[in-house]
Amino acid sequence: MKFNTSNCGLVSFFLTLFLCFFISTSSNEFFDCISQTTSANSSNIIFTPNNTSYSTILQSTIQNLRFNTTTTPKPLAIIAPLSYSHVQSTVICGVKSGLNIRTRSGGHDYEGLSYTSFDHAPFIVLDLTQLRSVTVDSEAKTAWVESGATLGELSYYVSQKSNLLGFPTGECTSVGVGGQLTGGGYGTMARKYGLSADNVIDALVVDVKGRIMDRDSMGEDLFWAIRGGGGASFGIVLSWKINLVYVPPVVTVFSLSKTLDADATRLVYKWQHVAYNITEDLFINILISPINNTMRVTINSLFLGTAEELMKIVSDEFPELGLQEKDCREMSWIESVVYYSVYLRGQSVDALIERRPWPKDYYKFKSDYVKEPIPEKAFEEIWKWCLEANLILAIEPHGGKMSEIDETATPYPHREGNLYIIQYVMRWDEEGFNATEKRVAATRSVYEKMTPYVSKNPREAYVNFRDLDLGTSCNACSKSYKQSLRWGRKYFKDNFKRLAMVKGNVDPTNFFCNEQSIPPLILPSSY
Ligand code: FDA
């Protein structure tokens, strides 16, 4: 029988019959194996639905309420390792029993792939929250950070060692290091230092055989793949060695809000030409959000230097911004991390280690890259679409270091030629199928209308802004390279083939998999 998506219903039926039998045998085998291999500690690390803390642990880092409903498929168990050997045991027992493992660091996956599964197959969640140490060597300007740490914890502990050291992470401090670095990691210092993944120099990974590999033992292909190839496909990254970067003792931030009128539209239009080209010490992003039947433009900025220096640059190169000295706030880099993590704004830096979750809601996000400035007239139409859909646009500049790095250096291929990335942000707070359908459809509709203005062939997307609309097969864990090309080229362009070949080498049976994981590509030896 030729397999295509129209066979999905039939496949699901037989799969369900088979699973009834499979679940009980494989789960028994898994629990026997994991209890034996983790011995004395097993009650502290294995949580099944019979444990009172199961739900609390499961929900602790679920960020998207869309995947925290009564009908969301739940894991047979959560394993919360306290040591690396527990992670090894989980993999070994998972392979032996054939149970799928979902690895979770910070739980921010936009489509919930770190804690749920959509193909009705039983699965285990491996929750790395307890593995979150950060060890900083300020002399060598490096650090080892475990995947379960949040970006806030990482930044905080680095800054505790020196106010001249920092790390280019994403802007939301509750995101996990594990997911962020496996997918890239874009933030306020990306124009100066690149992505988080561009600054990784070693890592410890548990492979499909349960071995712990470092950069030397895993080899350069796998080391390349884990720095941006998307989490969950190649193994479990326990820990990362990162190069720390210089941050000046004083940085400057500003945040300006304007109601959308002709001037604000012109400002956004001009921003497209400036933000990408301006000194890489300056990061200026734009948030365009519906409010009171109009759109509000908020311009946020981080400058790696003083307010006086910033004022000079802006008055020379971006006078349309109308920035005044009173809008600028000087602070330390770590304070700017708090400032940028909007939900913590105004709090002390200690809030970064409190593991406070980002406010939770229901959401659907999509992403696009823009290579040519969008005409001013077109923006007027775009605002109308967003207003109608009640959709936010978050726009972040590329250029600087992002353009200097070759597009094959890491799996993240969106380098030179990209002016900026757009994120379509749809958030809502009503529960239920109808609300979800309505909001998701509205997001897709704006995305469709944006087609003329964004990258083409492929229409590129950022893997850390995971979007299952881009393609997935009816069963999770598809092994088909051809089927996966549809979404794979959007995230990785030509790097997708290399990722699939690395996968073919390190995990040919596709044990580490989910609805959008890299399929193994095994070419004939004569190829
Ligand atoms: P989570 O634990 O859900 O993991 C994400 C994926 O990685 C899953 O597939 C998971 O299985 C896999 N994975 C996790 N840990 C792993 C490990 N140790 N080894 C192997 N695979 C692993 N991005 C960005 O670049 N810049 C930004 O500013 C932001 N801001 C932001 C704000 C908010 C509110 C959200 C919800 C998300 C972002 N993101 C972001 C996107 C974020 O980078 C992306 O969702 C990350 O994958 C989240 O990593 P977590 O560890 O939190 O997620």
Side-chain angles (χ1 to χ4, degrees):
M1 181 172 73
K2 195 164 182 270
F3 187 86
N4 62 38
T5 43
S6 64
N7 300 125
C8 284
L10 202 59
V11 171
S12 288
F13 174 73
F14 285 114
L15 209 61
T16 312
L17 282 184
F18 168 70
L19 286 177
C20 293
F21 169 74
F22 172 78
I23 292 175
S24 66
T25 12
S26 57
S27 64
N28 288 344
E29 198 175 353
F30 179 82
F31 289 123
D32 287 348
C33 172
I34 193 88
S35 309
Q36 279 161 23
T37 49
T38 54
S39 60
N41 282 321
S42 63
S43 64
N44 294 335
I45 65 161
I46 305 174
F47 301 89
T48 66
N50 296 329
N51 294 103
T52 45
S53 30
Y54 169 89
S55 289
T56 315
I57 297 175
L58 182 62
Q59 289 176 14
S60 60
T61 59
I62 290 184
Q63 199 56 45
N64 191 347
L65 297 180
R66 199 150 61 94
F67 307 113
N68 191 18
T69 69
T70 46
T71 54
T72 306
K74 308 278 188 303
L76 286 179
I78 305 163
I79 311 294
L82 299 169
S83 71
Y84 292 175
S85 68
H86 295 157
V87 178
Q88 293 175 279
S89 300
T90 309
V91 171
I92 290 166
C93 298
V95 170
K96 207 166 148 193
S97 58
L99 280 183
N100 183 226
I101 291 177
R102 300 288 164 134
T103 306
R104 182 167 81 170
S105 289
H108 284 56
D109 192 290
Y110 285 174
E111 301 280 10
L113 299 189
S114 57
Y115 51 86
T116 190
S117 163
F118 301 105
D119 81 339
H120 313 290
F123 65 100
I124 300 288
V125 165
L126 177 69
D127 185 309
L128 299 177
T129 309
Q130 302 297 327
L131 298 178
R132 58 169 196 262
S133 73
V134 182
T135 312
V136 179
D137 181 342
S138 49
E139 292 254 300
K141 301 188 177 60
T142 60
W144 274 100
V145 54
E146 289 181 330
S147 284
T150 62
L151 301 182
E153 288 169 327
L154 170 58
S155 302
Y156 176 89
Y157 290 115
V158 168
S159 74
Q160 289 290 297
K161 287 283 176 151
S162 164
N163 68 338
L164 301 180
L165 289 176
F167 188 67
T169 66
E171 291 146 35
C172 165
T173 51
S174 58
V175 166
V177 165
Q180 169 98 167
L181 271 61
T182 48
Y186 180 86
T188 53
M189 293 204 291
R191 300 192 64 252
K192 175 83 177 178
Y193 295 116
L195 302 172
S196 308
D198 296 329
N199 293 279
V200 170
I201 51 174
D202 205 341
L204 296 180
V205 178
V206 175
D207 76 351
V208 71
K209 293 190 175 139
R211 299 171 300 189
I212 297 182
M213 324 279 270
D214 67 2
R215 180 173 182 171
D216 272 352
S217 48
M218 79 178 86
E220 286 304 303
D221 273 343
L222 178 54
F223 183 62
W224 173 83
I226 58 169
R227 288 173 296 144
S233 293
F234 303 98
I236 293 157
V237 187
L238 297 169
S239 186
W240 309 79
K241 187 174 185 185
I242 53 177
N243 260 336
L244 302 177
V245 301
Y246 169 77
V247 291
V250 175
V251 305
T252 307
V253 298
F254 67 82
S255 187
L256 300 175
S257 274
K258 298 180 191 281
T259 317
L260 208 52
D261 55 14
D263 283 348
T265 302
R266 201 158 308 131
L267 184 70
V268 177
Y269 173 73
K270 181 77 200 287
W271 172 92
Q272 299 180 102
H273 298 81
V274 177
Y276 161 88
N277 268 323
I278 209 160
T279 166
E280 54 195 36
D281 287 328
L282 181 53
F283 169 89
I284 312 175
N285 72 0
I286 295 193
L287 204 68
I288 300 159
S289 30
I291 182 163
N292 300 335
N293 289 327
T294 176
M295 299 294 283
R296 185 178 58 196
V297 181
T298 308
I299 300 147
N300 289 307
S301 174
L302 171 71
F303 175 64
L304 299 170
T306 62
E308 195 184 340
E309 293 163 321
L310 172 64
M311 284 304 298
K312 178 154 183 10
I313 293 167
V314 171
S315 57
D316 285 353
E317 297 184 46
F318 200 5
E320 297 83 350
L321 203 51
L323 184 70
Q324 299 181 22
E325 238 172 288
K326 68 173 172 50
D327 302 319
C328 302
R329 285 187 52 196
E330 291 186 338
M331 55 179 67
S332 65
W333 171 73
I334 194 65
E335 286 168 336
S336 79
V337 173
V338 176
Y339 181 86
Y340 247 95
S341 196
V342 180
Y343 76 116
L344 295 180
R345 197 172 276 184
Q347 317 258 332
S348 88
V349 295
D350 295 336
L352 294 171
I353 53 171
E354 288 172 5
R355 294 184 79 84
R356 272 189 238 166
W358 190 275
K360 298 184 182 197
D361 46 20
Y362 300 80
Y363 57 79
K364 171 71 193 170
F365 293 176
K366 298 176 80 65
S367 64
D368 257 323
Y369 286 86
V370 174
K371 293 172 191 278
E372 297 290 335
I374 296 177
E376 199 173 325
K377 270 266 164 252
F379 276 126
E380 284 164 17
E381 278 297 294
I382 294 170
W383 309 150
K384 282 185 207 149
W385 303 335
C386 293
L387 199 56
E388 219 174 271
N390 206 14
L391 182 89
I392 298 173
L393 297 182
I395 309 184
E396 318 234 49
H398 270 42
K401 183 79 176 173
M402 290 296 291
S403 299
E404 287 162 21
I405 297 174
D406 190 90
E407 68 178 48
T408 61
T410 70
Y412 183 95
H414 321 286
R415 304 286 185 170
E416 198 182 356
N418 288 290
L419 302 182
Y420 55 93
I421 179 171
I422 301 182
Q423 203 175 170
Y424 305 89
V425 177
M426 178 63 89
R427 293 180 179 280
W428 65 99
D429 54 14
E430 308 140 72
E431 251 184 82
F433 179 80
N434 290 343
T436 302
E437 286 290 288
K438 187 175 135 200
R439 297 309 196 109
V440 171
T443 316
R444 288 177 184 150
S445 158
V446 174
Y447 179 80
E448 277 317 306
K449 291 179 191 152
M450 287 295 290
T451 308
Y453 307 116
V454 297
S455 64
K456 295 169 185 57
N457 304 317
R459 183 165 180 176
E460 297 171 35
Y462 173 29
V463 70
N464 258 353
F465 296 163
R466 170 111 52 207
D467 179 5
L468 291 185
D469 292 355
L470 301 182
T472 176
S473 48
C474 62
N475 59 330
C477 300
S478 167
K479 279 181 146 188
S480 166
Y481 173 71
K482 225 169 148 190
Q483 229 178 45
S484 312
L485 267 173
R486 197 174 128 224
W487 56 263
R489 292 225 340 111
K490 292 179 193 294
Y491 288 143
F492 305 112
K493 295 170 71 181
D494 291 347
N495 291 336
F496 184 59
K497 186 169 184 186
R498 182 171 173 199
L499 284 168
M501 287 167 69
V502 176
K503 172 77 174 179
N505 271 331
V506 301
D507 183 21
T509 60
N510 204 24
F511 173 70
F512 293 111
C513 62
N514 62 32
E515 288 73 0
Q516 237 182 26
S517 54
I518 308 286
L521 177 64
I522 303 165
L523 297 172
S525 50
S526 58
Y527 193 85

